[in-house]
Amino acid sequence: QLQLVESGGGLVQPGGSLRLSCAASGFTSRYYIIGWFRQAPGKEREGVSCISSSGSNTNYAGSVKGRFTISRDNAKNTVYLKMNSLTPEDPAVYYCAARGLYSSDSCPLRDYLSWGQGTQVTVSS
């Protein structure tokens, strides 16, 4: 299975922005759907966003819709999550994950097979 490595986490002020990166190796990422998930202390893991293999279709959790943007650069084998207007409700360990292709070049936030190690996002004044 392919390997995924997240980076770009850190501490930002409320209202600030971060861009997370998910670098794939071992396989070419254009053959996979990539999703971002997060888990905060005391809460279960939740799906944040996903992007189809072509990059043409995306899904977002309602809590991040309009603030986060997922994109992919298949030539660089990298998927990004741009996070704007961060709030104290967004801190968590963020994970990227990969799964096989879905119908109609879409992406679901379920059934992911390979996971990265996670990157910490902290929002505090």
Side-chain angles (χ1 to χ4, degrees):
Q1 292 182 309
L2 60 77
Q3 299 174 3
L4 304 170
V5 178
E6 303 95 334
S7 62
L11 190 152
V12 295
Q13 302 297 311
S17 299
L18 283 174
R19 188 181 73 167
L20 307 182
S21 298
C22 174
S25 62
F27 297 91
T28 302
S29 63
R30 69 176 179 268
Y31 298 124
Y32 298 89
I33 293 167
I34 303 296
W36 284 97
F37 298 78
R38 67 185 182 185
Q39 187 165 21
K43 300 179 67 177
E44 66 182 45
R45 186 180 64 202
E46 63 176 340
V48 175
S49 183
C50 57
I51 188 165
S52 67
S53 60
S54 71
S56 297
N57 292 287
T58 59
N59 284 319
Y60 295 92
S63 59
V64 306
K65 184 78 172 182
R67 298 190 296 120
F68 291 10
T69 302
I70 191 170
S71 61
R72 66 191 301 162
D73 185 340
N74 285 334
K76 297 181 178 179
N77 233 27
T78 301
V79 175
Y80 305 97
L81 184 69
K82 184 65 165 64
M83 305 183 293
N84 294 327
S85 302
L86 286 162
T87 78
E89 286 68 51
D90 293 318
V93 177
Y94 283 71
Y95 301 88
C96 67
R99 60 153 289 153
L101 302 183
Y102 198 63
S103 62
S104 303
D105 193 42
S106 60
C107 65
L109 281 167
R110 59 180 174 83
D111 297 333
Y112 284 75
L113 304 176
S114 299
W115 294 79
Q117 83 288 350
T119 186
Q120 178 72 54
V121 172
T122 303
V123 182
S124 177
S125 57

